Amino acid sequence: MTTVGTELLLDARDISKRYGAVVALRSASLAVRPGEVHALMGANGAGKSTLVKILSGGVRADGGTISVRGRPYGAHSPAEARRGGVVSVYQEPALIPDLDVRSNLRLTATAVEPVRHWLAELGLPDLDVSSMVRDLPLASLRVIDLARALAIEPDVLMLDEITAALPANLTERVLEVVARHRGTERSIIFISHRLIEIGVVCDRATVLREGATVGVVDVGAGSDDRIVRLMLGEISRRAPAVAAGPAGAGARTPETAPRLTARGLSAATRLRDVSFDLYPGEVLGLVALEGQGQDELFDILAGSERPAGGELLVDGAHVSFHHPADAIRAGLVYVPADRAEALLMQRSVRENIALPFSGPVGAWGLINVRGERRKVDAAVRTLQIDTRAAAEVRRLSGGNQQKVTIARWVAGGVRTMLCFDPTRGIDIGTKQQIYQLLRELAAAGAAVLLYTSELKEIQLACDRAIVVFNGRVVAEIPALEADEPTLLRAAYDLKPDEAIPELAVGETA
Amino acid sequence: MSAATEALGRRRVGVGEAVTSWIRRSPWIVALIGLLVVFFAITKMLVPNYGAPGVQALGISILPNALAAVAQAIVVISGGIDLSVGSMMALTSVVSAVLMKGQSDIFAVGVVLGTLALGVLLGAINGALIVATRVPDIVVTLAMSFVWAGVALLIIHTPGGGAAPWLMETIRGPLVSEWIPRGLVVLAVLVGAIWIPLRRSNLGLSLFAIGSNRLAAFRSGVPVDRMKIVSYALTGLFSSLAGLALTANTGNASPVPGPYTLESIAAIVLGGVSLAGGRGGVVGPILAVAVLYLIRIDLQFIGINPNFGTVVQGVILIGVVMLGSFLALRRVRP
Amino acid sequence: MTSVGTGTAERNPWLTRATWRRILRDQPLIPLSGLLIALVIVLQLVQPGIVTASWAGVIVRQAVPLAILAGCQTLAMLTGGIDLSVGAVASMAAFVMATLVNGQGPVVAVLAGLGVALAAGVVTGVGIGVFKVHPLIMTLGMSLVVLGLVAVYQLAMVLSGVVIPDPILWLGSETSFGFLPNSLFLFVPLSAVIVLGLRRSGYGRLLFAVGDNAIAARLAGVRIWQVLIVLYTLSALLAAIAGFLIAGLNKTASPALVESAVLPSVAAAVIGGTSILGGRGGFAGTIVGALILTLLTTLLTTLNMPEAMRQVLFGAIIVVVAAAYTRVTGEA
């Protein structure tokens, strides 16, 4: 059956995809052999999720070729992908909340018995298939979704962060089942941020960076280090762009009072116990792998959600936010990563920047056009926003859009700015401008909290960094020492002195 | 003592397990049945001789509303909303009455089948327009409600047409016992013959799926656009049944839509169908129609202006939705 | 897609579809006014000599109340809502006003009419803003409540007659200088306030903001419930004013006075370029939309088309226009 020509089970070559002006994939290739567990790796925005969507029929590629078992493959929908032998398990389970499990299986034409078998294998032997999906915890849903996909017995099974949201005992069973696929006729594409899992279950790893495949690594001794290096690209070895960065922290005297103090903040999910002080004049970096509680932390700080526990102090006084307006009045302004969450896409740059001015009922009357224009123009100049397409924000580039969300707060004067991954998916030049701006804000006495998924930003923009893992602060690192390997180790909750085990093996070998 | 009651309770579960699990699964319907019983009791108190004739009247009166509620329930469960139900009823009623007038019984059978096909077509046009134009359901069906009502008015200006005698007899009068109105039997048969098999089929599952979570449905392989059209076509089918019920009830047809669209929305909301889609059934809305009917006649019996019935209906509509969103908010907060 | 794409427009200024799309998207007033003029020309051709100053006055007098009701829809639709209670509220305000003239005098009567509308609007706004009831359901429910209450009130007030006070008659149905409808004396300042308010007031900005992106508005510190309560209250007050004008125009008032204008009011707003999804539109387009609908009605009447045909056409026009706007605005 297996001839030399069709050795590959799945062969995707030079896949490209653009969304409007944004290039999601430039040239991604992925070659999966039969019977291997193949890791797909890449930092945020590297194009993993786009590639997964293309393979699973969610979106169409603009260019490139895909074949499965030597036959050309192009799916318009997940149903077609399944007929072509490719099944995906997504991060949000593809289960209908208002149907019971059995009906969900029927909807996807999957027999119950094999699913029961796999549920037992995966550690949920007692699951009642007549329970409503809505009533089941997320972890169970992910396992059910996986069991269903296994029962379908596809040629290629794609698992997107399958162990996220799973408790340790289930994670172990899932990894064991995944590993069992090695050496069979079928293959698994395994997407995960957890290097340790990759080392345990995967045979090879394809690494994406900036929309292109940058390398394929045989998983084994020392491979973690190579994978990380490929993911990061050429680590910029240049000194922090702003020399004043660490100096700013040094200028802080012991008697400086913190602008913002969090004590034992917790949320219903993920965020367990986070405490930190944020001082005026500093940019405090926050580093975490995806889903460690940072989203919940920022929601609480921005006034969108109420904490389940802990306390928050602004300038030493207790605060309790019921609405983002409360946070704004306390001087805490929020720049989200997702521009779609912050911008009025059909409105002009001016209206977007001036939006917070109109919030309070007292400002509902006639607008002082001249005063508004002065403030807006100043903010536009500060951020060097390209206003050629200012009539509708959605026509701006991603970088310019992000500048508008920041300009909104700069125009009103910033005391404390909370930035959640503000440079996600924007070009390098704009990134530099944003770091520069954050430094200038801090120099002018503002306090900035910056969560970033790009580790090198810490040294470029921050004075010090705290690392959050599993809902807790696990490390505080001064910017000078916060190089990427150090931060990455801390983010995986490995102590600085203890090397990643596999990595150590690789070095000695 | 507590141990004893516990043991007793356990034995009882063993006996009526099916019933208790059904009650647990459908608290809303149980509550509606309770409400219905309460209103029957109130009616009986107000009018001591309320009995079989009253039930007969109820059977005939609620048939069009109940079918309209079923029509609305199907589309809302599938994640849409159809503001043209009343207009489709008027149009199908007019078409059936005009074609049936003075014709033979056999011909009338053909007219009934043709009217049902027309209903499916009207609904499918609504659905196809929504899918093709991507204009929100509300706008399309609001606009189409005028189109369908206008077409009905183009056919006849004033109430007219006729109904085959057998059609009228099908829904009028008692069956076997004077306590069983034929209208309710017809309703039960229609729901039993169309909705129950549908609900158990993959098609029905797909309708719930697209209403519950469109993305998950797409990823589960459901053809979401096609299902949307199917849901509107089914709504058209039940609207045409409701239109036929109007024709059969009065023996002619009025080209002016009655207040059925609004009532159908009130009924499905009261009947436990989630406006967000994916949840509910058709039994709840039918019970809700009966409750709304009893409220109206009770107000009449008390001697209160019947217009208060509209007020009560509006308050119920708003109140139930408020309650629903309030409960939903509570559920989100742990 | 990143650049605004002026290049293609310069090369081929009139013929590209992209140009037309851009005009329809950014300047809907231009094609709308063209349509309006075309309708006038068609009318003149169908019935030569019909287009005169006094005829224009009649058209405007009919269009003004519709434009005000469509203004309610415009404001609500800008936030992504809809107000289907305008018919019931307008009828209620006019009827309450007309029944109180005999006993209480015109001033109290008018204030009472505005007062009941205000109360209904506040209730609607609280339901939508605080209890998060979908605007469609809330306003449908409110129109049931209002209709029922007015019918009950009608029976209670069976003795007092319906009287439309002279100032309202003057505003609603009389003209100055032989052709200028007096309703314009109210409508012109009113629409100036609305148009200016939408563009230049903080509150106007918030209506667009809430409809464009409610999450973003909230994150920017906007308390959306406040915006919505004020919105539906304003909408009810505007509806009451339209109700007065219609009572003045028809020289009578009844509990079902304005019911038939609800869908045309939505139609006028949709035709005028306001998106039901929110965040896009304005009152100027709505006024033109109301004029177009009024002219269309006149044209159909002139052609001896039955009322039913008008309904069919209105419905079809809404779908076609909404689809066209969805197409041109759907792409970035």
Side-chain angles (χ1 to χ4, degrees):
Chain A
M1 186 75 197
T2 322
T3 61
V4 183
T6 59
E7 201 183 338
L8 292 173
L9 188 52
L10 179 140
D11 189 7
R13 287 192 191 166
D14 293 327
I15 308 294
S16 60
K17 175 75 191 172
R18 313 164 54 98
Y19 293 104
V22 181
V23 179
L25 287 178
R26 283 186 293 127
S27 164
S29 298
L30 177 64
V32 181
R33 299 176 187 142
E36 78 169 340
V37 178
H38 193 113
L40 182 60
M41 308 283 296
N44 292 335
K48 272 177 311 185
S49 56
T50 307
L51 183 57
V52 169
K53 278 184 200 152
I54 288 170
L55 292 176
S56 62
V59 297
R60 296 281 282 163
D62 294 337
T65 58
I66 310 175
S67 62
V68 173
R69 287 201 190 277
R71 290 189 301 268
Y73 167 94
H76 288 86
S77 70
E80 273 183 38
R82 181 175 162 182
R83 283 195 288 277
V86 179
V87 167
S88 294
V89 178
Y90 301 90
Q91 289 198 46
E92 324 84 58
L95 295 164
I96 310 300
D98 293 307
L99 297 178
D100 60 15
V101 176
R102 184 183 283 116
S103 301
N104 266 288
L105 296 181
R106 241 184 81 196
L107 193 64
T108 47
T110 318
V112 177
E113 272 322 306
V115 175
R116 276 226 179 89
H117 162 77
W118 284 113
L119 282 173
E121 293 287 310
L122 291 165
L124 287 181
D126 302 324
L127 188 109
D128 179 7
V129 290
S130 58
S131 27
M132 279 303 239
V133 166
R134 179 180 291 287
D135 300 331
L136 293 169
L138 179 62
S140 303
L141 296 185
R142 301 215 64 193
V143 172
I144 294 167
D145 211 7
L146 174 60
R148 178 172 65 180
L150 288 166
I152 292 170
E153 303 192 346
D155 290 332
V156 180
L157 176 59
M158 283 195 287
L159 305 179
D160 191 359
E161 294 284 348
I162 188 66
T163 57
L166 289 190
N169 57 332
L170 286 178
T171 303
E172 203 176 301
R173 302 297 290 265
V174 167
L175 292 179
E176 195 257 321
V177 168
V178 167
R180 228 187 277 165
H181 275 71
R182 296 161 106 164
T184 64
E185 274 292 285
R186 286 184 267 279
S187 311
I188 288 181
I189 297 174
F190 191 84
I191 300 152
S192 174
H193 280 291
R194 304 184 186 184
L195 285 170
I196 293 172
E197 290 176 0
I198 305 285
V200 171
V201 299
C202 294
D203 299 297
R204 296 192 302 153
T206 292
V207 181
L208 293 181
R209 190 176 69 235
E210 286 160 17
T213 297
V214 290
V216 181
V217 178
D218 287 317
V219 175
S223 59
D224 287 12
D225 199 27
R226 280 207 297 283
I227 290 172
V228 170
R229 239 185 313 220
L230 283 169
M231 275 167 64
L232 297 172
E234 302 160 37
I235 296 177
S236 66
R237 281 291 168 209
R238 72 199 127 126
V242 188
R252 196 174 81 220
T253 56
E255 51 270 23
T256 313
R259 171 70 48 75
L260 174 69
T261 302
R263 289 279 168 264
L265 282 185
S266 65
T269 55
R270 299 206 270 207
L271 187 67
R272 293 175 210 280
D273 175 14
V274 164
S275 304
F276 63 87
D277 289 306
L278 174 63
Y279 291 90
E282 76 166 342
V283 178
L284 172 61
L286 194 152
V287 173
L289 301 172
E290 268 174 47
Q292 303 300 319
Q294 64 269 41
D295 304 72
E296 291 79 1
L297 174 66
F298 273 75
D299 281 347
I300 290 169
L301 296 178
S304 288
E305 299 288 338
R306 308 275 287 277
E311 53 190 19
L312 201 57
L313 294 86
V314 173
D315 292 324
H318 281 270
V319 288
S320 154
F321 300 147
H322 299 251
H323 189 278
D326 296 331
I328 292 166
R329 202 159 20 163
L332 271 59
V333 298
Y334 172 53
V335 178
D338 186 0
R339 265 89 65 188
E341 236 177 56
L343 292 176
L344 314 174
M345 286 296 176
Q346 305 175 72
R347 311 308 302 172
S348 66
V349 167
R350 172 135 70 107
E351 277 191 55
N352 270 282
I353 293 177
L355 176 60
F357 302 160
S358 303
V361 180
W364 284 7
L366 275 186
I367 291 166
N368 173 356
V369 178
R370 205 172 298 160
E372 179 188 284
R373 182 173 298 153
R374 189 155 26 83
K375 283 188 197 163
V376 169
D377 287 350
V380 165
R381 265 197 309 280
T382 309
L383 280 132
Q384 296 165 294
I385 296 172
D386 179 353
T387 53
R388 275 178 304 175
E392 266 191 324
V393 160
R394 63 175 172 175
R395 291 187 232 174
L396 298 181
S397 69
N400 271 306
Q401 288 183 352
Q402 190 64 54
K403 286 184 187 174
V404 173
T405 68
I406 297 174
R408 167 184 296 169
W409 301 121
V410 171
V414 176
R415 275 174 59 74
T416 312
M417 186 177 266
L418 313 163
C419 299
F420 191 91
D421 219 1
T423 57
R424 185 184 289 176
I426 62 181
D427 62 283
I428 191 78
T430 308
K431 279 180 185 173
Q432 292 288 356
Q433 287 179 323
I434 288 176
Y435 307 147
Q436 185 72 34
L437 176 83
L438 295 182
R439 292 297 340 158
E440 281 167 12
L441 287 175
V448 179
L449 179 65
L450 169 69
Y451 163 74
T452 173
S453 56
E454 278 192 52
L455 299 176
K456 62 174 167 246
E457 288 188 357
I458 295 296
Q459 285 198 320
L460 291 175
C462 300
D463 300 298
R464 61 190 175 107
I466 54 174
V467 181
V468 172
F469 180 79
N470 204 12
R472 292 187 171 81
V473 176
V474 292
E476 186 189 327
I477 305 170
L480 282 178
E481 297 162 25
D483 55 0
E484 282 166 87
T486 309
L487 288 170
L488 205 58
R489 280 201 182 82
Y492 281 106
D493 199 26
L494 300 165
K495 296 289 164 268
D497 49 336
E498 108 189 46
I500 296 173
E502 286 88 339
L503 212 130
V505 173
E507 277 163 5
T508 50
Chain B
M1 188 197 150
S2 73
T5 46
E6 223 170 76
L8 202 70
R10 218 174 285 145
R11 207 178 320 139
R12 234 180 248 153
V13 168
V15 174
E17 202 172 339
V19 176
T20 42
S21 93
W22 181 79
I23 288 176
R24 216 172 334 108
R25 275 171 167 258
S26 350
W28 197 285
I29 293 191
V30 174
L32 276 171
I33 292 174
L35 204 58
L36 199 57
V37 170
V38 167
F39 275 104
F40 267 121
I42 293 175
T43 315
K44 189 74 186 162
M45 263 167 21
L46 292 171
V47 187
N49 62 358
Y50 185 85
V55 175
Q56 290 295 334
L58 177 139
I60 288 184
S61 307
I62 72 167
L63 186 59
N65 306 55
L67 288 167
V70 172
Q72 193 68 265
I74 293 173
V75 73
V76 172
I77 285 172
S78 315
I81 191 163
D82 193 336
L83 300 184
S84 70
V85 166
S87 299
M88 288 195 289
M89 283 169 70
L91 177 53
T92 51
S93 173
V94 162
V95 167
S96 67
V98 167
L99 290 179
M100 252 190 282
K101 187 173 185 179
Q103 299 285 346
S104 69
D105 282 0
I106 305 294
F107 188 82
V109 173
V111 169
V112 167
L113 294 177
T115 306
L116 298 181
L118 175 67
V120 171
L121 178 70
L122 299 181
I125 291 175
N126 283 348
L129 281 173
I130 291 165
V131 167
T133 61
R134 309 261 159 223
V135 173
D137 303 45
I138 290 180
V139 181
V140 171
T141 56
L142 187 64
M144 293 314 284
S145 76
F146 276 72
V147 174
W148 303 139
V151 173
L153 265 174
L154 283 177
I155 297 172
I156 45 172
H157 261 296
T158 47
W166 65 265
L167 187 63
M168 298 171 72
E169 276 159 29
T170 310
I171 66 157
R172 284 178 176 178
L175 193 77
V176 187
S177 151
E178 58 170 354
W179 288 92
I180 306 176
R182 279 176 195 244
L184 291 190
V185 175
V186 168
L187 182 62
V189 168
L190 287 174
V191 169
I194 303 176
W195 173 249
I196 291 177
L198 178 75
R199 183 176 181 151
R200 307 210 160 162
S201 70
N202 275 354
L203 182 70
L205 285 181
S206 303
L207 295 181
F208 275 84
I210 61 169
S212 179
N213 184 330
R214 225 180 114 86
L215 180 63
F218 176 67
R219 286 176 170 176
S220 295
V222 176
V224 284
D225 283 346
R226 212 182 312 154
M227 281 303 131
K228 179 138 213 147
I229 297 177
V230 168
S231 72
Y232 275 92
L234 283 167
T235 297
L237 174 65
F238 272 93
S239 300
S240 65
L241 283 168
L244 283 170
L246 283 178
T247 309
N249 198 352
T250 54
N252 62 17
S254 162
V256 178
Y260 297 104
T261 305
L262 281 189
E263 282 209 25
S264 71
I265 293 174
I268 60 145
V269 168
L270 182 58
V273 176
S274 161
L275 282 172
R279 263 192 279 181
V282 304
V283 177
I286 292 174
L287 292 172
V289 166
V291 170
L292 290 173
Y293 170 80
L294 286 177
I295 290 176
R296 233 171 305 154
I297 63 161
D298 282 357
L299 288 169
Q300 250 167 339
F301 286 143
I302 305 175
I304 287 186
N305 187 315
N307 291 302
F308 261 123
T310 352
V311 180
V312 170
Q313 216 161 307
V315 169
I316 289 176
L317 175 64
I318 297 168
V320 170
V321 177
M322 276 189 189
L323 188 73
S325 69
F326 183 68
L327 290 178
L329 283 179
R330 292 265 308 240
R331 192 182 298 183
V332 170
R333 282 187 201 144
Chain C
M1 292 307 260
T2 38
S3 73
V4 194
T6 44
T8 51
E10 279 162 11
R11 230 183 308 129
N12 206 343
W14 284 107
L15 297 175
T16 63
R17 284 175 72 175
T19 312
W20 280 106
R21 284 188 174 175
R22 205 170 308 121
I23 289 175
L24 192 53
R25 186 181 63 206
D26 299 335
Q27 301 291 337
L29 272 181
I30 296 172
L32 284 176
S33 307
L35 184 59
L36 190 64
I37 293 165
L39 274 172
V40 174
I41 293 171
V42 168
L43 261 168
Q44 174 71 15
L45 291 177
V46 167
Q47 197 173 342
I50 187 177
V51 180
T52 61
S54 63
W55 172 85
V58 172
I59 294 290
V60 168
R61 208 167 56 195
Q62 286 171 356
V64 161
L66 177 61
I68 297 177
L69 290 176
C72 303
Q73 305 301 349
T74 307
L75 299 184
M77 280 162 63
L78 284 179
T79 66
I82 193 165
D83 191 348
L84 298 184
S85 68
V86 287
V89 171
S91 307
M92 170 178 73
F95 187 68
V96 166
M97 180 271 293
T99 48
L100 288 180
V101 173
N102 266 346
Q104 313 286 330
V107 175
V108 174
V110 166
L111 287 179
L114 289 173
V116 288
L118 180 92
V122 170
V123 172
T124 308
V126 169
I128 295 168
V130 179
F131 291 95
K132 316 245 182 300
V133 181
H134 191 285
L136 179 83
I137 303 295
M138 189 68 207
T139 54
L140 276 180
M142 272 311 284
S143 59
L144 286 180
V145 171
V146 166
L147 280 175
L149 287 177
V150 172
V152 174
Y153 171 82
Q154 184 181 24
L155 287 183
M157 300 295 289
V158 79
L159 289 179
S160 65
V162 168
V163 178
I164 310 297
D166 288 341
I168 301 278
L169 282 175
W170 181 82
L171 261 184
S173 50
E174 287 177 27
T175 50
S176 297
F177 318 114
F179 68 96
L180 193 65
N182 293 335
S183 54
L184 284 180
F185 293 122
L186 177 68
F187 182 71
V188 170
L190 188 69
S191 26
V193 168
I194 295 177
V195 170
L196 192 73
L198 284 178
R199 283 192 195 155
R200 288 285 167 85
S201 79
Y203 182 72
R205 292 273 182 84
L206 293 188
L207 289 178
F208 286 100
V210 168
D212 189 303
N213 190 342
I215 296 171
R218 183 168 181 271
L219 283 178
V222 179
R223 292 179 203 270
I224 292 168
W225 59 272
Q226 295 174 338
V227 177
L228 292 180
I229 290 179
V230 171
L231 162 67
Y232 286 98
T233 308
L234 280 178
S235 177
L237 289 176
L238 283 175
I241 292 172
F244 295 159
L245 287 180
I246 294 175
L249 186 64
N250 296 0
K251 303 191 172 74
T252 183
S254 75
L257 181 70
V258 192
E259 221 22 60
S260 63
V262 176
L263 189 92
S265 74
V266 177
V270 169
I271 291 171
T274 301
S275 161
I276 196 147
L277 296 177
R280 175 182 288 277
F283 190 53
T286 302
I287 297 172
V288 182
L291 279 169
I292 288 176
L293 284 183
T294 311
L295 273 179
L296 204 59
T297 309
T298 315
L299 177 63
L300 294 178
T301 317
T302 315
L303 291 173
N304 277 327
M305 286 259 197
E307 154 72 14
M309 201 61 212
R310 187 178 71 99
Q311 282 196 22
V312 175
L313 269 177
F314 271 26
I317 287 172
I318 296 177
V319 173
V320 169
V321 171
Y325 280 119
T326 310
R327 276 200 75 146
V328 296
T329 57
E331 51 195 55

